[in-house]
């Protein structure tokens, strides 16, 4: 902070000092904007990678649910085959116990399949929400970029030149 008085400094020295002050302020604002954009880009990168991971998990859960459904069908087929086999046999009681065990396995597989389906739906919804947030940040970033266009910089620099003189 240099105090410029009309009696002690020549006009060219005053202009030189004002020019240095303007450049320092301009560099300060450019640095601040660069740091802000760095933070925004890092955030966007983290969100995009998280979306990719969520999509991979969603596909894995879909495959798991499909395999649980096919296992359920296989167990039901085995159960019906066992029923046909045990119709004329004396050790019917033992076969009934096996069928009950198979029914329990089928119920467990159905429960696992429904759980997998619910998890997949939750991940899909989370992925959609993350995509919506990403789109919102992208539009906000575009609005900020629109504020910093070359035409605006000229107007702001002339405003800053006139605004700096009274401050000193």
């Amino acid at each position: 902070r240099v105090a410029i008085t009309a009696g002690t400094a020549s006009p060219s020295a005053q202009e030189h000092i004002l020019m240095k002050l303007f450049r320092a302020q301009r560099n300060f604002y450019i640095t601040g904007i660069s740091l802000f954009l760095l933070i925004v880009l890092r955030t966007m990168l983290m969100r995009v990678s998280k979306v990719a991971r969520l999509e991979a998990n969603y596909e894995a859960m879909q495959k798991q649910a499909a395999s649980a459904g096919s296992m359920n069908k296989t167990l039901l087929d085995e159960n019906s085959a066992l029923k046909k086999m045990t119709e004329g046999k004396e050790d019917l009681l033992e076969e009934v116990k096996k069928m009950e065990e198979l029914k329990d396995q089928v119920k467990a597989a159905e429960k696992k399949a429904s759980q997998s389906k619910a998890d997949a739906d939750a991940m899909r919804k989370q992925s959609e929400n993350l995509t919506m947030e990403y789109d919102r940040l992208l539009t906000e970033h575009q609005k900020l970029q629109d504020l910093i266009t070359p035409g605006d910089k000229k107007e702001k620099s002339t405003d800053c030149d006139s605004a700096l003189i009274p401050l000193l």
Side-chain angles (χ1 to χ4, degrees):
R1 303 200 184 240
V2 176
I4 300 174
T5 60
T8 62
S10 68
S12 64
Q14 287 179 345
E15 289 176 5
H16 183 69
I17 291 171
L18 289 175
M19 181 179 63
K20 280 187 173 184
L21 179 62
F22 170 73
R23 286 181 181 166
Q25 287 176 342
R26 179 197 62 193
N27 292 342
F28 176 76
Y29 287 122
I30 289 172
T31 304
I33 289 170
S34 298
L35 289 175
F36 173 74
L37 290 177
L38 175 71
I39 292 169
V40 168
L41 287 174
R42 183 169 185 258
T43 303
M44 286 175 33
L45 179 66
M46 288 179 2
R47 289 182 187 265
V48 167
S49 65
K50 188 174 182 179
V51 166
R53 274 186 271 133
L54 288 174
E55 287 177 355
N57 286 343
Y58 176 74
E59 291 175 5
M61 288 205 170
Q62 287 289 357
K63 289 178 183 177
Q64 185 181 9
S67 67
S70 65
M71 184 177 137
N72 182 19
K73 187 175 182 179
T74 305
L75 289 175
L76 286 174
D77 292 340
E78 288 177 8
N79 190 13
S80 64
L82 283 175
K83 282 183 181 179
K84 289 178 183 177
M85 289 174 51
T86 58
E87 285 182 350
K89 301 200 177 194
E90 295 179 2
D91 47 331
L92 183 62
L93 199 56
E94 184 178 313
E95 295 297 325
V96 169
K97 288 181 183 178
K98 288 182 182 179
M99 284 193 300
E100 300 241 343
E101 290 175 7
L102 289 175
K103 285 181 182 178
D104 291 339
Q105 288 177 356
V106 167
K107 287 180 183 177
E110 288 175 345
K111 184 176 181 182
K112 188 174 181 180
S114 67
Q115 180 65 31
S116 295
K117 178 76 172 160
D119 289 345
D121 289 340
M123 290 185 79
R124 180 186 48 79
K125 186 173 272 189
Q126 186 178 12
S127 175
E128 289 172 356
N129 289 339
L130 193 57
T131 302
M132 287 174 24
E133 178 64 17
Y134 174 76
D135 290 340
R136 185 191 67 79
L137 282 175
L138 191 61
T139 57
E140 183 178 334
H141 178 261
Q142 185 61 39
K143 287 178 185 176
L144 289 174
Q145 279 186 337
D146 290 342
L147 291 176
I148 307 173
T149 58
D152 288 346
K153 285 184 180 178
K154 274 189 175 178
E155 292 172 10
K156 287 182 182 178
S157 66
T158 58
D159 291 344
C160 289
D161 289 340
S162 63
L164 290 178
I165 294 171
L167 291 176
L168 297 176

